[in-house]
Amino acid sequence: MNDAAAFHRLFRLLAGQCDGDSWSVVEIPAIDRLRQALIAPPHQVSNTDLAVLLRQALIFESMRRNWAPLAECDVLGDRWVGFQDWSTFGLKAISISGGWRVSPQPWQPDWVEVDGTNSIEARASGETVCRHFESASVPADPFLSKLNRKAYRSTAQRNAVRAALRAPIGSTLVIMLATGEGKSLISHAVAVAGYGSYPGQSSDDGVTLVVVPTVTLALDQEAGALDAGFKGPLAYRSGEQANNRQIIERIEAGSQSLCYASPEAVCGALREPLKAAARAGYLKAIVIDEAHLVDAWGTGFRTEFQLLGGLRRELIQLSPEYRQPRTLLLSATLTEASLTTLRTLFGTPGEFTEIAGASLRPEPEYWSSSATNETERVERVIEALYHAPRPAILYVTRVSDAENWFQRIYGLGFRRISLVTGKTSLVERDATLLKWRAGDIDLVIATSAFGLGIDYPHVRSIIHACIPESLDRFYQEVGRGGRDGRACMSLLIPAHDDWSVAKRISDVTVIGIDRGLQRWLAMFEQAEHIPNSRVFRVRLSTSPGFTDDDIDMVGERSADWNARTLTLMERAGLIRQCGIEHRMGNNEPWQKIEILDHDHLHYEVWQRRVGPLRQAIAEANSSSLYLMRQYILRQECITRLLIQLYGDDRVGAVCTSCSQCRAMPASRISLVGIARTFPWQHPLPPSDLVLALMDGSSRLIVFYDSFRRDSRWFRRLGEVFEVLGQNGVINLTLLANQDEFDKEVTERLSADPWFVAKVDRLLPGRLPPGPEVILSTERPPLTRANLSKRDINKARIFILPLDTESPDRPGIRLSQCFDGRMFFFDEFHQRLMR
């Protein structure tokens, strides 16, 4: 159903001329959301809810018509007879027999610089397409058939998945992928494809641990994974004993393909099961989602984020040499300070590198008002809620503010709303997520935790009734909108008092030198040395002393501050955390510490090492708040500020729409691209089995008879791919190839993470570095350079028709003049099968 037909059907539904149950237009959310609300039970939806959705649908249709003429509809029925508040919602209503004839009015609030815009929310209500996903030009690699995926969302997503699956043993890869590009596919791909076989196991065995910051995100990720075909339960969550017991048993057995858990659970109840899995070689990967929070949250509270580095080292050390887990750190964007923290905590052992595939989002249109008093801010937010397209999220900073706003909004007559804060129970979170996905909730009032990584695509409005403490937090929250690639609106409505709240949160409490050294001395005094090493065990619950200030510093409270102290010392290069132990019969945690600086007990060393680090942390937080202030005061384009925050070498950008750019179109920033190179430039060579088939030139041609490509030949070709994949060759180029090949051998290619390119001629850069198979079903367009001698890490195996001609000797078969190693297909298959 096209847009015009959908609106016509909605027009008839509003006029009572058709039902709303027998049709839907999920591809047009602006219309389908109103349809769903109109047929919902009356106690679940109010006229206030319906009026907002009606405005959105009329603006959508008006945008389709280029505002000439304005869309209008007849609203009939008993429920509308006494309704008189149309103008409150930016609607013009004329009384007609049995109801009203309604049309939209532009929304141009006098507290926003409208800059000649017809209606500030029109682009979002009109669902203007800004990005295209699921492009047929980015076909899926064969292993994604296990997830029923036929395409990648984008080239950036494909590059990220391939980089993750090529990660060397024990390495750490930072992956920056734009919000909406589908970071969750990376974890799914690792779980189904893995990193090759291991003696006694298949590539499907093993655990991919995904560390998520919130219960809400764990539940959302679990739902997405279940839809992709994974077997639940997948999310470890407090209070779910039966669920958690099953997950623990499956982790220890290596059959828990995916596990979503918080840092607290990973460092606590899941630590021993994960250690058992590591010893058995079952731990495939440690994935940390929203990795920017390791720095943003782990420094000031929720210390477990930064304890993950020590746990990772412990798990790697426990794993068999050839089954050490890879670490993947996922985020849409990372500041330089965040990347430095990640490098410190996860940089050893193993390689540490990054792949930047992120671009700043084109969907948000940015609007903001100047700061005002609280009373006027309330009026502005309410006006926005009467006009802003749905679904919408209203963000605030404090839990008490969220609770107050929920009561206020409910009192205005809105019913399709929900509240999510750190105090929201698990049951309430579950209910909200289900209704949010089903389209039964139009507005969520929330603190910053809601929405982290939640892949609900159709959010049209992000409203901030606060000043975020950093430009990074602001951009992360704005990024919850427009994940379907269609326009969304960001509306920031600050009050004067917000500045002090933002400043207080920005000033992260980092323990001082005097107090930090005092805590370290107390811990080290009771430390236990592990013989023949530089490693000590320190008791985390150690009290720092016996003064009046220390009398309450016992148990968990003291352990938390001690953990912060150790993390600060690690970031300063004094120690390295190697994992936590729990004593038999005593659940007290002991952290294993490797001493890196023998002068770690000296005050002047703390001054020299810890002092500058504390200053750098403070400056980074202050800088991000300063950038937030520049945006609010309209002193700089939001795109330029974000490039300054994240670095032009890590994010690409095209100018979106903010007050600076709307006022001065000539100042719009030009497209900024980033160099996209594959992070692992030195892959492992193929195994000895494959190398033994080649000569010193690292190339090999296998010729086959085109007339003998029967079912037996295809089966044996699949066997060739299977063996090659198990021996380090997973790049496949289909040269001048027909679709029949990947249909016949997909099952074999899916056994290992093969990367496939279909090309008309061989060009560099089409696949990740590494050995490759080049297969052709007809005479290929080869050049002499294509057949030249290769480096061992770039070995080539050609599988070509027997009648392939020499590229520089027309009329002469290549098999008669090639100067390298050659086999006929049957012999090649036979040698591999040995």
Side-chain angles (χ1 to χ4, degrees):
M1 192 182 304
N2 62 31
D3 295 355
F7 182 75
H8 177 70
R9 187 70 65 90
L10 177 67
F11 183 97
R12 297 185 63 227
L13 174 61
L14 288 163
Q17 298 172 0
C18 74
D19 67 85
D21 295 298
S22 60
W23 61 281
S24 66
V25 279
V26 292
E27 68 278 10
I28 310 175
I31 291 179
D32 203 60
R33 182 166 287 270
L34 176 54
R35 179 197 66 81
Q36 285 183 275
L38 286 167
I39 63 176
H43 68 277
Q44 295 180 2
V45 57
S46 68
N47 283 0
T48 301
D49 297 315
L50 292 173
V52 174
L53 296 175
L54 176 58
R55 172 187 171 79
Q56 182 175 346
L58 290 171
I59 292 290
F60 175 87
E61 176 64 10
S62 297
M63 286 281 288
R64 189 187 69 81
R65 301 177 181 185
N66 293 318
W67 299 95
L70 280 175
E72 63 178 17
C73 62
D74 294 343
V75 181
L76 308 178
D78 293 342
R79 72 182 303 163
W80 298 104
V81 171
F83 191 75
Q84 300 288 335
D85 298 329
W86 297 106
S87 61
T88 301
F89 302 91
L91 295 167
K92 179 181 178 181
I94 301 173
S95 178
I96 60 174
S97 177
W100 307 88
R101 179 158 295 155
V102 182
S103 59
Q105 300 296 298
W107 181 38
Q108 299 174 321
D110 57 10
W111 40 272
V112 170
E113 290 187 8
V114 177
D115 305 317
T117 302
N118 191 342
S119 188
I120 72 167
E121 91 294 11
R123 197 165 161 268
S125 292
E127 299 179 349
T128 302
V129 176
C130 303
R131 276 194 296 173
H132 294 275
F133 296 121
E134 301 294 351
S135 171
S137 63
V138 192
D141 288 312
F143 60 86
L144 289 184
S145 64
K146 297 179 179 180
L147 299 170
N148 297 315
R149 293 288 296 262
K150 295 181 179 180
Y152 287 103
R153 273 199 150 191
S154 64
T155 302
Q157 187 192 47
R158 182 190 65 189
N159 293 346
V161 169
R162 287 177 170 179
L165 293 175
R166 271 292 198 183
I169 294 170
S171 65
T172 296
L173 176 64
V174 179
I175 299 176
M176 285 167 276
L177 192 63
T179 301
E181 295 280 3
K183 291 189 289 293
S184 60
L185 180 63
I186 297 171
S187 303
H188 295 178
V190 170
V192 299
Y195 296 96
S197 60
Y198 181 66
Q201 299 172 226
S202 74
S203 61
D204 293 334
D205 290 331
V207 180
T208 298
L209 172 68
V210 185
V211 185
V212 293
T214 66
V215 175
T216 305
L217 179 53
L219 298 175
D220 188 77
Q221 294 275 36
E222 180 183 50
L226 293 174
D227 289 343
F230 288 92
K231 179 183 177 182
L234 302 173
Y236 185 96
R237 39 191 167 158
S238 61
E240 299 283 336
Q241 292 185 0
N243 173 91
N244 295 344
R245 189 181 309 113
Q246 186 176 357
I247 288 176
I248 287 174
E249 290 173 354
R250 285 169 27 177
I251 287 175
E252 293 173 338
S255 60
Q256 181 70 35
S257 57
L258 274 172
C259 176
Y260 299 100
S262 69
E264 289 80 4
V266 170
C267 292
L270 290 179
R271 174 181 292 276
E272 292 305 318
L274 288 169
K275 288 167 66 175
R279 290 189 191 96
Y282 288 139
L283 191 57
K284 281 186 183 179
I286 302 167
V287 183
I288 300 181
D289 201 7
E290 307 293 345
H292 61 282
L293 296 178
V294 172
D295 183 52
W297 286 6
T299 299
F301 72 111
R302 296 190 69 183
T303 317
E304 286 80 3
F305 269 104
Q306 297 191 0
L307 294 178
L308 292 170
L311 174 60
R312 168 188 172 268
R313 291 191 193 96
E314 184 177 25
L315 295 174
I316 287 176
Q317 290 167 358
L318 290 172
S319 301
E321 182 179 359
Y322 294 104
R323 197 68 173 181
Q324 295 175 344
R326 282 76 167 173
T327 303
L328 307 174
L329 308 176
L330 312 182
S331 184
T333 44
L334 286 167
T335 65
E336 185 60 43
S338 295
L339 193 59
T340 299
T341 299
L342 295 176
R343 186 177 289 109
T344 299
L345 298 177
F346 300 94
T348 58
E351 296 182 56
F352 181 98
T353 191
E354 62 186 85
I355 179 171
S359 295
L360 296 180
R361 300 280 302 283
E363 296 92 350
E365 187 169 34
Y366 293 89
W367 301 90
S368 64
S369 68
S370 56
T372 185
N373 60 58
E374 184 61 32
T375 300
E376 190 167 356
R377 193 250 292 277
V378 168
E379 295 174 356
R380 291 176 177 180
V381 171
I382 291 173
E383 181 182 346
L385 293 176
Y386 284 141
H387 293 80
R390 303 301 200 262
I393 305 174
L394 174 64
Y395 276 115
V396 296
T397 297
R398 296 175 294 201
V399 172
S400 59
D401 291 336
E403 293 170 342
N404 291 337
W405 269 113
F406 180 83
Q407 294 299 326
R408 184 181 290 122
I409 293 167
Y410 190 87
L412 294 172
F414 290 98
R415 293 297 177 266
R416 289 163 59 92
I417 63 175
S418 189
L419 172 70
V420 177
T421 72
K423 293 172 61 177
T424 305
S425 71
L426 184 61
V427 173
E428 291 171 319
R429 286 174 185 264
D430 281 347
T432 294
L433 277 178
L434 288 172
K435 291 179 180 179
W436 184 243
R437 292 194 196 97
D440 296 331
I441 292 177
D442 294 329
L443 173 66
V444 176
I445 301 95
T447 52
S448 60
F450 179 75
L452 278 170
I454 291 177
D455 193 19
Y456 183 72
H458 306 305
V459 178
R460 300 269 74 88
S461 301
I462 305 293
I463 303 170
H464 280 89
C466 62
I467 293 178
E469 68 275 6
S470 69
L471 187 63
D472 183 46
R473 174 194 152 186
F474 174 69
Y475 183 65
Q476 295 288 343
E477 291 174 353
V478 169
R480 316 280 153 72
R483 294 189 175 199
D484 54 1
R486 302 184 184 194
C488 63
M489 177 180 70
S490 163
L491 179 58
L492 178 68
I493 308 175
H496 297 302
D497 291 345
D498 293 341
W499 288 113
S500 61
V501 176
K503 180 68 167 62
R504 185 169 65 252
I505 297 174
S506 176
D507 292 337
V508 175
T509 302
V510 180
I511 196 166
I513 293 175
D514 292 341
R515 192 64 164 162
L517 180 56
Q518 180 189 10
R519 284 189 167 276
W520 174 237
L521 289 171
M523 283 187 281
F524 197 70
E525 183 179 349
Q526 302 178 37
E528 299 177 358
H529 180 238
I530 298 178
N532 303 317
S533 72
R534 294 185 298 177
V535 178
F536 294 78
R537 299 184 186 93
V538 298
R539 188 163 58 93
L540 279 179
S541 58
T542 303
S543 173
F546 301 98
T547 66
D548 291 342
D549 292 337
D550 302 324
I551 195 168
D552 294 325
M553 278 292 182
V554 294
E556 289 187 9
R557 186 180 177 201
S558 189
D560 184 61
W561 276 105
N562 284 339
R564 295 190 200 189
T565 301
L566 296 178
T567 296
L568 188 66
M569 293 175 67
E570 179 167 16
R571 293 177 65 179
L574 296 174
I575 64 171
R576 179 178 293 125
Q577 300 181 81
C578 303
I580 290 178
E581 291 182 352
H582 291 274
R583 296 300 176 85
M584 293 295 293
N586 184 345
N587 204 34
E588 277 194 318
W590 289 66
Q591 178 69 275
K592 290 186 292 186
I593 300 294
E594 181 184 0
I595 302 298
L596 301 181
D597 189 324
H598 292 296
D599 295 324
H600 57 93
L601 300 175
H602 296 171
Y603 183 79
E604 59 272 17
V605 172
W606 275 65
Q607 283 185 308
R608 187 175 71 250
R609 283 181 173 266
V610 178
L613 175 60
R614 295 182 74 253
Q615 181 65 27
I617 292 171
E619 289 176 356
N621 293 332
S622 177
S623 174
S624 194
L625 179 59
Y626 171 74
L627 295 176
M628 190 72 232
R629 182 184 291 270
Q630 281 191 297
Y631 167 65
I632 291 174
L633 298 179
R634 300 172 192 152
Q635 294 178 346
E636 185 57 274
C637 159
I638 185 70
T639 301
R640 287 186 168 86
L641 292 173
L642 291 169
I643 290 175
Q644 184 178 339
L645 176 66
Y646 297 124
D648 58 9
D649 59 336
R650 288 197 297 276
V651 295
V654 60
C655 195
T656 182
S657 178
C658 68
S659 59
Q660 289 277 316
C661 299
R662 287 190 294 268
M664 297 179 291
S667 70
R668 285 180 176 270
I669 192 169
S670 301
L671 177 66
V672 176
I674 54 174
R676 290 182 171 89
T677 58
F678 198 77
W680 315 113
Q681 293 299 313
H682 303 288
L684 291 174
S687 71
D688 292 341
L689 171 66
V690 176
L691 290 176
L693 297 174
M694 298 183 173
D695 56 19
S697 64
S698 300
R699 59 197 172 135
L700 168 68
I701 298 182
V702 178
F703 291 107
Y704 67 90
D705 187 343
S706 299
F707 295 102
R708 295 180 58 189
R709 286 188 294 130
D710 53 15
S711 59
R712 178 174 178 272
W713 187 87
F714 282 119
R715 176 178 55 79
R716 298 174 80 185
L717 178 64
E719 292 171 351
V720 165
F721 286 139
E722 188 170 22
V723 174
L724 290 175
Q726 294 169 356
N727 286 272
V729 183
I730 57 174
N731 282 338
L732 171 61
T733 295
L734 300 179
L735 184 61
N737 193 58
Q738 304 299 317
D739 288 341
E740 61 177 300
F741 266 103
D742 47 350
K743 289 179 181 178
E744 293 289 345
V745 300
T746 292
E747 183 176 345
R748 299 283 188 172
L749 288 172
S750 300
D752 287 284
W754 279 87
F755 307 142
V756 178
K758 293 183 179 181
V759 298
D760 294 325
R761 57 195 180 99
L762 295 182
L763 294 172
R766 67 201 181 282
L767 286 171
E772 75 176 305
V773 176
I774 298 167
L775 173 65
S776 181
T777 59
E778 54 190 56
R779 293 184 181 183
L782 297 174
T783 66
R784 179 185 294 181
N786 296 152
L787 299 170
S788 62
K789 296 180 179 180
R790 312 287 294 174
D791 180 88
I792 191 172
N793 293 318
K794 300 177 181 179
R796 279 180 170 174
I797 299 174
F798 292 87
I799 302 179
L800 306 175
L802 183 58
D803 60 356
T804 300
E805 291 187 355
S806 169
D808 52 357
R809 298 180 65 182
I812 303 297
R813 287 188 174 186
L814 183 59
S815 60
Q816 296 174 315
C817 59
F818 181 59
D819 61 349
R821 183 70 60 84
M822 295 179 289
F823 288 107
F824 287 105
F825 182 81
D826 287 346
E827 182 183 3
F828 180 65
H829 173 267
Q830 188 177 52
R831 285 174 177 256
L832 282 180
M833 293 303 107
R834 291 175 185 171

